[in-house]
Coordinates of all heavy atoms in Angstrom, one line a residue:
M1458 N 3.9 42.6 -21.4 CA 3.8 41.2 -21.8 C 2.7 40.6 -20.9 O 2.6 40.8 -19.7 CB 5.2 40.5 -21.5 CG 5.1 39.1 -21.8 SD 6.6 38.1 -21.8 CE 7.6 38.8 -20.5
R1459 N 1.9 39.8 -21.6 CA 0.9 39.1 -20.9 C 1.4 37.8 -20.2 O 2.4 37.3 -20.7 CB -0.2 38.6 -21.9 CG -0.9 39.7 -22.7 CD -1.8 39.2 -23.7 NE -1.2 38.1 -24.5 CZ -1.9 37.4 -25.3 NH1 -3.1 37.5 -25.5 NH2 -1.2 36.4 -26.0
P1460 N 0.9 37.4 -19.1 CA 1.4 36.2 -18.4 C 1.5 35.0 -19.3 O 2.4 34.2 -19.2 CB 0.4 36.0 -17.3 CG -0.2 37.3 -17.0 CD -0.2 38.0 -18.4
A1461 N 0.5 34.9 -20.3 CA 0.5 33.7 -21.1 C 1.7 33.7 -22.1 O 2.1 32.6 -22.6 CB -0.8 33.7 -22.0
D1462 N 2.4 34.8 -22.3 CA 3.6 34.9 -23.1 C 4.9 34.6 -22.4 O 5.9 34.5 -23.0 CB 3.7 36.3 -23.8 CG 2.5 36.6 -24.7 OD1 1.9 35.7 -25.3 OD2 2.1 37.8 -24.8
A1463 N 4.8 34.6 -21.1 CA 6.1 34.3 -20.3 C 6.6 32.9 -20.5 O 5.8 32.0 -20.9 CB 5.8 34.6 -18.8
A1464 N 7.9 32.8 -20.4 CA 8.5 31.4 -20.5 C 7.8 30.5 -19.6 O 7.7 30.8 -18.4 CB 10.0 31.5 -20.3
P1465 N 7.3 29.3 -20.0 CA 6.5 28.5 -19.2 C 7.2 27.9 -18.0 O 6.6 27.5 -17.0 CB 6.1 27.4 -20.1 CG 7.1 27.4 -21.2 CD 7.5 28.8 -21.3
W1466 N 8.5 27.8 -18.0 CA 9.2 27.1 -16.9 C 10.0 28.1 -16.0 O 10.7 27.7 -15.1 CB 10.2 26.1 -17.4 CG 9.4 25.1 -18.3 CD1 9.5 24.9 -19.6 CD2 8.5 24.1 -17.8 NE1 8.7 23.9 -20.0 CE2 8.0 23.4 -18.9 CE3 7.9 23.8 -16.6 CZ2 7.1 22.4 -18.9 CZ3 7.0 22.8 -16.5 CH2 6.6 22.1 -17.6
K1467 N 9.8 29.4 -16.1 CA 10.5 30.4 -15.3 C 10.3 30.2 -13.8 O 11.2 30.3 -13.0 CB 10.2 31.8 -15.7 CG 11.1 32.4 -16.7 CD 10.8 33.8 -16.9 CE 11.9 34.5 -17.7 NZ 11.7 35.9 -17.9
A1468 N 9.0 29.9 -13.5 CA 8.7 29.8 -12.0 C 8.7 28.4 -11.5 O 8.3 28.1 -10.4 CB 7.3 30.4 -11.8
T1469 N 9.3 27.5 -12.3 CA 9.3 26.1 -11.9 C 10.7 25.7 -11.3 O 11.7 26.0 -11.9 CB 9.1 25.2 -13.2 OG1 7.8 25.5 -13.7 CG2 9.1 23.7 -12.8
A1470 N 10.6 25.1 -10.1 CA 11.9 24.7 -9.5 C 12.3 23.3 -10.1 O 11.4 22.4 -10.3 CB 11.7 24.6 -8.0
R1471 N 13.5 23.1 -10.4 CA 14.0 21.8 -10.9 C 15.0 21.2 -9.9 O 15.8 22.0 -9.4 CB 14.6 22.0 -12.3 CG 13.6 22.5 -13.3 CD 14.2 22.6 -14.6 NE 13.3 23.2 -15.6 CZ 13.4 23.2 -16.9 NH1 14.6 22.8 -17.4 NH2 12.5 23.7 -17.6
H1472 N 15.0 19.9 -9.8 CA 15.9 19.2 -8.9 C 16.5 18.0 -9.5 O 16.0 17.5 -10.5 CB 15.1 18.8 -7.6 CG 14.4 19.9 -6.9 ND1 15.1 20.8 -6.1 CD2 13.2 20.4 -6.9 CE1 14.3 21.7 -5.7 NE2 13.1 21.5 -6.1
S1473 N 17.6 17.6 -9.0 CA 18.4 16.5 -9.6 C 17.9 15.1 -9.2 O 18.1 14.1 -9.9 CB 19.9 16.6 -9.2 OG 20.4 17.8 -9.6
T1474 N 17.3 15.0 -8.0 CA 16.8 13.7 -7.5 C 15.4 13.8 -7.0 O 14.9 14.9 -6.6 CB 17.7 13.2 -6.3 OG1 17.5 14.1 -5.2 CG2 19.2 13.2 -6.7
P1475 N 14.7 12.6 -6.9 CA 13.4 12.6 -6.4 C 13.4 13.1 -4.9 O 12.5 13.8 -4.4 CB 12.9 11.2 -6.5 CG 13.7 10.7 -7.7 CD 15.0 11.4 -7.6
A1476 N 14.4 12.7 -4.1 CA 14.5 13.1 -2.7 C 14.6 14.6 -2.6 O 13.9 15.2 -1.7 CB 15.7 12.4 -2.1
E1477 N 15.4 15.3 -3.4 CA 15.4 16.7 -3.4 C 14.1 17.3 -3.8 O 13.6 18.3 -3.1 CB 16.4 17.3 -4.5 CG 17.8 17.3 -4.1 CD 18.7 17.8 -5.2 OE1 18.3 18.8 -5.9 OE2 19.8 17.4 -5.4
T1478 N 13.4 16.8 -4.7 CA 12.1 17.3 -5.2 C 11.1 17.2 -4.1 O 10.3 18.1 -3.9 CB 11.6 16.5 -6.4 OG1 12.6 16.6 -7.4 CG2 10.3 16.9 -6.9
M1479 N 11.1 16.1 -3.3 CA 10.1 15.9 -2.3 C 10.5 16.4 -0.9 O 9.7 16.1 0.1 CB 9.8 14.4 -2.3 CG 9.2 13.9 -3.6 SD 8.5 12.3 -3.6 CE 9.9 11.3 -3.4
L1480 N 11.6 17.0 -0.7 CA 12.0 17.5 0.6 C 10.9 18.4 1.2 O 10.5 19.4 0.7 CB 13.3 18.3 0.4 CG 13.9 18.8 1.7 CD1 14.3 17.7 2.6 CD2 15.1 19.7 1.4
G1481 N 10.4 17.9 2.3 CA 9.4 18.7 3.1 C 8.0 18.6 2.5 O 7.1 19.3 3.0
A1482 N 7.8 17.8 1.5 CA 6.5 17.8 0.8 C 5.5 17.0 1.6 O 5.8 16.1 2.4 CB 6.6 17.1 -0.6
D1483 N 4.2 17.4 1.5 CA 3.1 16.7 2.2 C 2.6 15.6 1.3 O 2.0 14.6 1.8 CB 2.0 17.7 2.5 CG 2.4 18.6 3.5 OD1 2.8 18.2 4.6 OD2 2.2 19.8 3.3
A1484 N 2.9 15.7 0.0 CA 2.4 14.6 -1.0 C 3.2 14.7 -2.3 O 3.9 15.8 -2.5 CB 1.0 14.8 -1.3
A1485 N 3.2 13.7 -3.0 CA 3.9 13.6 -4.3 C 2.8 13.1 -5.4 O 2.0 12.3 -5.0 CB 5.1 12.7 -4.3
I1486 N 3.0 13.6 -6.6 CA 2.1 13.2 -7.6 C 2.9 12.7 -8.8 O 3.8 13.5 -9.3 CB 1.1 14.4 -8.1 CG1 0.3 14.9 -6.9 CG2 0.2 13.9 -9.2 CD1 -0.4 16.2 -7.2
V1487 N 2.6 11.5 -9.3 CA 3.3 11.0 -10.5 C 2.4 11.3 -11.7 O 1.2 10.9 -11.7 CB 3.6 9.5 -10.4 CG1 4.1 8.9 -11.7 CG2 4.5 9.2 -9.2
V1488 N 2.9 12.0 -12.7 CA 2.1 12.3 -13.9 C 2.7 11.9 -15.2 O 2.3 12.3 -16.2 CB 1.8 13.8 -13.9 CG1 0.9 14.3 -12.8 CG2 3.1 14.6 -14.0
T1489 N 3.7 11.0 -15.1 CA 4.4 10.5 -16.2 C 4.7 9.0 -16.1 O 4.7 8.5 -15.0 CB 5.7 11.3 -16.5 OG1 6.4 10.8 -17.6 CG2 6.7 11.1 -15.3
E1490 N 5.0 8.3 -17.2 CA 5.3 6.9 -17.1 C 6.8 6.7 -17.3 O 7.2 5.6 -17.7 CB 4.5 6.2 -18.2 CG 3.0 6.2 -18.0 CD 2.2 5.6 -19.2 OE1 2.9 5.1 -20.1 OE2 1.0 5.7 -19.2
W1491 N 7.6 7.6 -17.0 CA 9.0 7.5 -17.2 C 9.5 6.2 -16.5 O 9.3 6.0 -15.3 CB 9.8 8.7 -16.7 CG 9.6 9.9 -17.6 CD1 8.9 10.0 -18.8 CD2 10.0 11.2 -17.3 NE1 9.0 11.2 -19.2 CE2 9.6 12.0 -18.3 CE3 10.7 11.8 -16.2 CZ2 9.9 13.4 -18.4 CZ3 11.0 13.1 -16.3 CH2 10.6 13.9 -17.3
P1492 N 10.3 5.4 -17.2 CA 10.8 4.1 -16.5 C 11.7 4.4 -15.3 O 11.8 3.6 -14.4 CB 11.6 3.4 -17.6 CG 11.8 4.4 -18.7 CD 10.7 5.5 -18.6
E1493 N 12.4 5.6 -15.3 CA 13.2 5.9 -14.1 C 12.5 5.9 -12.8 O 13.1 5.6 -11.7 CB 13.9 7.3 -14.3 CG 14.8 7.4 -15.5 CD 14.0 7.8 -16.8 OE1 12.9 8.2 -16.7 OE2 14.6 7.6 -17.9
L1494 N 11.2 6.1 -12.8 CA 10.4 6.1 -11.6 C 10.4 4.8 -10.9 O 10.2 4.7 -9.7 CB 9.0 6.6 -11.9 CG 8.8 8.0 -12.3 CD1 7.4 8.4 -12.7 CD2 9.2 9.0 -11.1
K1495 N 10.5 3.7 -11.7 CA 10.5 2.3 -11.2 C 11.8 2.0 -10.4 O 11.8 1.1 -9.6 CB 10.3 1.3 -12.3 CG 8.9 1.5 -12.8 CD 8.6 0.4 -13.9 CE 7.2 0.6 -14.5 NZ 6.9 -0.4 -15.5
T1496 N 12.9 2.8 -10.6 CA 14.1 2.5 -9.9 C 14.4 3.5 -8.8 O 15.5 3.4 -8.2 CB 15.3 2.5 -10.9 OG1 15.4 3.8 -11.5 CG2 15.1 1.5 -12.0
V1497 N 13.5 4.4 -8.5 CA 13.7 5.3 -7.4 C 13.7 4.6 -6.1 O 12.9 3.6 -5.9 CB 12.6 6.4 -7.4 CG1 12.6 7.2 -6.1 CG2 12.7 7.3 -8.6
D1498 N 14.6 5.0 -5.2 CA 14.6 4.4 -3.8 C 13.5 5.2 -3.1 O 13.7 6.2 -2.5 CB 15.9 4.6 -3.1 CG 16.0 4.1 -1.7 OD1 14.9 3.8 -1.1 OD2 17.1 4.0 -1.2
W1499 N 12.3 4.7 -3.1 CA 11.1 5.4 -2.5 C 11.2 5.5 -1.0 O 10.7 6.4 -0.5 CB 9.8 4.7 -3.0 CG 9.5 5.0 -4.5 CD1 9.7 4.2 -5.5 CD2 9.1 6.3 -5.0 NE1 9.4 4.8 -6.7 CE2 9.1 6.1 -6.4 CE3 8.8 7.5 -4.5 CZ2 8.7 7.1 -7.3 CZ3 8.4 8.5 -5.3 CH2 8.4 8.3 -6.7
S1500 N 11.8 4.5 -0.4 CA 12.0 4.6 1.1 C 12.8 5.8 1.4 O 12.5 6.6 2.3 CB 12.6 3.3 1.6 OG 11.8 2.3 1.5
A1501 N 13.9 6.0 0.7 CA 14.8 7.2 1.0 C 14.1 8.5 0.6 O 14.1 9.5 1.4 CB 16.1 7.0 0.2
A1502 N 13.4 8.5 -0.5 CA 12.7 9.7 -0.9 C 11.6 10.0 0.1 O 11.4 11.2 0.4 CB 12.1 9.5 -2.3
G1503 N 10.9 9.0 0.6 CA 9.8 9.2 1.6 C 10.3 9.8 2.9 O 9.6 10.5 3.5
R1504 N 11.6 9.5 3.3 CA 12.1 10.0 4.5 C 12.3 11.5 4.4 O 12.4 12.2 5.4 CB 13.4 9.3 4.8 CG 13.3 7.9 5.4 CD 14.5 7.3 6.0 NE 15.6 7.1 5.0 CZ 15.7 6.0 4.2 NH1 14.8 5.0 4.4 NH2 16.7 5.9 3.3
C1505 N 12.4 12.1 3.2 CA 12.5 13.5 3.0 C 11.2 14.3 3.1 O 11.2 15.5 3.2 CB 13.1 13.8 1.6 SG 14.8 13.1 1.4
M1506 N 10.1 13.5 3.1 CA 8.8 14.1 3.1 C 8.2 14.3 4.5 O 8.6 13.6 5.4 CB 7.8 13.3 2.3 CG 8.2 13.1 0.9 SD 7.1 11.9 0.0 CE 5.7 13.0 -0.2
R1507 N 7.3 15.3 4.7 CA 6.6 15.4 6.0 C 5.6 14.3 6.1 O 5.4 13.8 7.2 CB 5.9 16.8 6.0 CG 6.8 17.9 6.4 CD 6.0 19.1 6.7 NE 5.5 19.7 5.4 CZ 5.4 21.0 5.2 NH1 5.7 21.9 6.1 NH2 5.0 21.4 4.0
R1508 N 5.0 13.9 5.0 CA 4.0 12.9 5.0 C 4.2 12.0 3.8 O 4.3 12.6 2.7 CB 2.6 13.5 5.0 CG 1.5 12.5 5.1 CD 0.2 13.2 5.3 NE -0.9 12.2 5.2 CZ -2.1 12.4 4.8 NH1 -2.4 13.6 4.4 NH2 -3.0 11.4 4.7
R1509 N 4.2 10.7 3.9 CA 4.4 9.9 2.7 C 3.1 9.5 2.1 O 2.4 8.5 2.3 CB 5.1 8.6 3.2 CG 6.5 8.8 3.6 CD 7.1 7.5 3.9 NE 8.4 7.7 4.6 CZ 9.4 6.7 4.7 NH1 9.2 5.6 4.1 NH2 10.5 7.0 5.3
L1510 N 2.7 10.4 1.2 CA 1.4 10.3 0.5 C 1.7 10.5 -1.0 O 2.4 11.5 -1.4 CB 0.4 11.4 0.9 CG -0.9 11.4 0.1 CD1 -1.7 10.1 0.2 CD2 -1.7 12.6 0.6
L1511 N 1.4 9.5 -1.8 CA 1.7 9.6 -3.2 C 0.4 9.2 -4.1 O -0.2 8.2 -3.8 CB 2.8 8.6 -3.6 CG 3.3 8.7 -5.0 CD1 4.8 8.8 -5.0 CD2 2.8 7.6 -5.9
F1512 N 0.2 10.1 -5.0 CA -0.9 9.8 -6.0 C -0.2 9.5 -7.3 O 0.5 10.3 -7.9 CB -1.8 11.0 -6.2 CG -2.9 10.7 -7.2 CD1 -4.0 10.0 -6.8 CD2 -2.8 11.2 -8.5 CE1 -5.0 9.7 -7.8 CE2 -3.8 11.0 -9.4 CZ -4.9 10.2 -9.1
D1513 N -0.5 8.3 -7.8 CA 0.1 7.8 -9.1 C -1.0 8.0 -10.2 O -1.8 7.1 -10.3 CB 0.5 6.4 -8.9 CG 1.2 5.8 -10.1 OD1 1.3 6.5 -11.2 OD2 1.7 4.6 -10.0
G1514 N -0.9 9.0 -10.9 CA -1.9 9.3 -12.0 C -1.7 8.4 -13.2 O -2.5 8.5 -14.1
R1515 N -0.6 7.7 -13.3 CA -0.3 6.8 -14.5 C -0.3 5.3 -14.1 O 0.0 4.5 -15.0 CB 1.0 7.2 -15.1 CG 1.1 8.7 -15.5 CD 0.0 9.1 -16.5 NE 0.3 8.4 -17.7 CZ -0.5 8.5 -18.8 NH1 -1.6 9.3 -18.7 NH2 -0.3 7.8 -19.9
N1516 N -0.5 5.0 -12.9 CA -0.4 3.6 -12.4 C 0.9 2.9 -12.8 O 0.9 1.8 -13.2 CB -1.6 2.8 -13.0 CG -2.9 3.2 -12.4 OD1 -3.0 3.7 -11.3 ND2 -4.0 3.0 -13.1
V1517 N 2.0 3.7 -12.7 CA 3.3 3.2 -13.1 C 4.0 2.4 -11.9 O 4.9 1.6 -12.2 CB 4.1 4.3 -13.6 CG1 4.5 5.3 -12.5 CG2 5.3 3.8 -14.4
L1518 N 3.6 2.7 -10.7 CA 4.3 2.1 -9.5 C 3.5 0.9 -8.9 O 2.2 0.9 -9.1 CB 4.5 3.1 -8.5 CG 5.3 4.3 -9.0 CD1 5.4 5.4 -7.9 CD2 6.7 3.9 -9.3
D1519 N 4.2 0.0 -8.3 CA 3.5 -1.1 -7.6 C 2.9 -0.7 -6.3 O 3.7 -0.2 -5.4 CB 4.5 -2.2 -7.4 CG 3.9 -3.4 -6.7 OD1 3.2 -4.2 -7.3 OD2 4.1 -3.5 -5.5
P1520 N 1.6 -0.8 -6.1 CA 1.0 -0.3 -4.9 C 1.6 -0.9 -3.6 O 1.8 -0.3 -2.6 CB -0.5 -0.7 -5.0 CG -0.7 -0.8 -6.5 CD 0.7 -1.3 -7.1
H1521 N 1.8 -2.2 -3.6 CA 2.3 -2.9 -2.4 C 3.8 -2.6 -2.1 O 4.2 -2.5 -1.0 CB 2.1 -4.4 -2.6 CG 0.6 -4.7 -2.7 ND1 -0.3 -4.6 -1.7 CD2 -0.1 -5.1 -3.8 CE1 -1.5 -4.8 -2.1 NE2 -1.4 -5.1 -3.4
A1522 N 4.6 -2.3 -3.2 CA 6.0 -1.9 -2.9 C 5.9 -0.5 -2.3 O 6.8 -0.2 -1.4 CB 6.7 -1.9 -4.3
M1523 N 5.0 0.3 -2.8 CA 4.9 1.7 -2.2 C 4.5 1.6 -0.7 O 5.0 2.4 0.1 CB 4.0 2.6 -3.0 CG 4.5 2.8 -4.4 SD 6.1 3.5 -4.5 CE 5.9 5.1 -3.7
A1524 N 3.6 0.7 -0.4 CA 3.1 0.5 1.0 C 4.3 0.0 1.8 O 4.5 0.5 3.0 CB 2.0 -0.5 1.0
S1525 N 5.1 -0.8 1.3 CA 6.3 -1.3 2.0 C 7.3 -0.2 2.2 O 8.1 -0.3 3.2 CB 7.0 -2.5 1.2 OG 6.1 -3.6 1.2
A1526 N 7.3 0.8 1.3 CA 8.2 1.9 1.5 C 7.6 3.0 2.5 O 8.2 4.0 2.7 CB 8.5 2.6 0.1
G1527 N 6.4 2.7 3.0 CA 5.8 3.5 4.0 C 4.8 4.6 3.5 O 4.4 5.4 4.2
F1528 N 4.4 4.4 2.2 CA 3.5 5.4 1.6 C 2.1 5.0 1.7 O 1.7 3.8 1.6 CB 3.9 5.5 0.1 CG 5.1 6.4 -0.2 CD1 6.3 5.9 -0.2 CD2 4.9 7.8 -0.5 CE1 7.4 6.7 -0.4 CE2 6.0 8.6 -0.7 CZ 7.3 8.0 -0.7
T1529 N 1.2 6.0 1.8 CA -0.2 5.8 1.5 C -0.2 6.0 0.0 O 0.2 7.1 -0.5 CB -1.1 6.9 2.2 OG1 -1.0 6.6 3.6 CG2 -2.5 6.8 1.7
Y1530 N -0.7 5.1 -0.8 CA -0.6 5.1 -2.2 C -2.0 5.1 -2.8 O -2.8 4.2 -2.6 CB 0.2 3.8 -2.7 CG 0.3 3.7 -4.2 CD1 1.3 4.3 -4.9 CD2 -0.7 2.9 -4.9 CE1 1.3 4.2 -6.3 CE2 -0.6 2.8 -6.3 CZ 0.4 3.4 -6.9 OH 0.5 3.3 -8.3
M1531 N -2.2 6.2 -3.6 CA -3.5 6.3 -4.3 C -3.2 6.4 -5.8 O -2.2 6.9 -6.2 CB -4.2 7.6 -3.8 CG -4.5 7.6 -2.3 SD -5.4 9.0 -1.7 CE -4.7 10.4 -2.4
S1532 N -4.1 5.8 -6.6 CA -4.0 5.8 -8.0 C -5.3 5.8 -8.7 O -6.4 5.9 -8.0 CB -3.2 4.6 -8.4 OG -3.8 3.4 -8.0
V1533 N -5.3 5.8 -10.0 CA -6.5 5.8 -10.8 C -7.1 4.4 -11.0 O -6.4 3.5 -11.5 CB -6.2 6.5 -12.2 CG1 -7.5 6.5 -13.0 CG2 -5.7 7.9 -12.0
G1534 N -8.3 4.2 -10.6 CA -9.0 3.0 -10.8 C -8.6 1.8 -10.0 O -8.9 0.7 -10.2
R1535 N -7.7 2.1 -8.9 CA -7.3 1.0 -8.0 C -7.6 1.5 -6.6 O -7.7 2.7 -6.3 CB -5.8 0.7 -8.2 CG -5.4 0.2 -9.6 CD -4.0 -0.3 -9.6 NE -3.1 0.8 -9.7 CZ -1.8 0.6 -9.9 NH1 -1.3 -0.6 -10.1 NH2 -0.9 1.6 -9.9
A1536 N -7.7 0.5 -5.7 CA -7.9 0.9 -4.3 C -6.7 1.5 -3.7 O -5.6 1.3 -4.1 CB -8.2 -0.4 -3.5
T1537 N -7.0 2.4 -2.8 CA -5.9 3.1 -2.0 C -5.2 2.0 -1.1 O -5.9 1.1 -0.5 CB -6.5 4.2 -1.1 OG1 -7.0 5.2 -2.0 CG2 -5.4 4.8 -0.2
V1538 N -3.9 2.0 -1.1 CA -3.1 1.1 -0.3 C -2.5 1.9 0.8 O -1.8 2.9 0.6 CB -2.1 0.3 -1.1 CG1 -1.3 -0.6 -0.3 CG2 -2.8 -0.4 -2.3
L1539 N -2.7 1.4 2.1 CA -2.1 2.1 3.2 C -0.7 1.5 3.5 O -0.4 0.4 3.2 CB -3.0 1.9 4.5 CG -4.4 2.5 4.3 CD1 -5.3 2.2 5.5 CD2 -4.4 4.0 4.0
P1540 N 0.1 2.3 4.2 CA 1.5 1.9 4.5 C 1.5 0.7 5.4 O 0.6 0.5 6.2 CB 2.2 3.1 5.1 CG 1.1 4.0 5.5 CD -0.1 3.6 4.7
N1541 N 2.5 -0.2 5.2 CA 2.7 -1.3 6.0 C 3.3 -0.8 7.4 O 4.3 -0.1 7.4 CB 3.7 -2.3 5.4 CG 3.1 -3.0 4.2 OD1 1.9 -3.0 4.0 ND2 4.0 -3.5 3.4
V1542 N 2.6 -1.2 8.5 CA 3.1 -0.8 9.8 C 3.9 -1.9 10.4 O 3.4 -3.0 10.4 CB 1.9 -0.4 10.7 CG1 2.4 0.0 12.1 CG2 1.1 0.7 10.0
K1543 N 5.1 -1.6 10.8 CA 6.0 -2.6 11.4 C 6.1 -2.5 12.9 O 5.9 -1.5 13.5 CB 7.3 -2.5 10.8 CG 7.3 -2.8 9.3 CD 8.6 -2.7 8.7 CE 8.5 -3.0 7.2 NZ 9.7 -2.9 6.5

């Protein structure tokens, strides 16, 4: 069997929560506009990461809310927003 014929999701890990998904991650990438992303507790999810860096490829999240959650927030066509330091 050729690799292109293999089931596309066999090697993909699936998780129940954003926090599980980002556990130990150096960065997160948003590639969908799902409305559920707007209700994620990003502060809690960020605490699971090694580094709070997020690239929003769909501009679905509020940059300043992400900075308040401690993220360096990068997106398409907008300025990078650095985390709020308290």
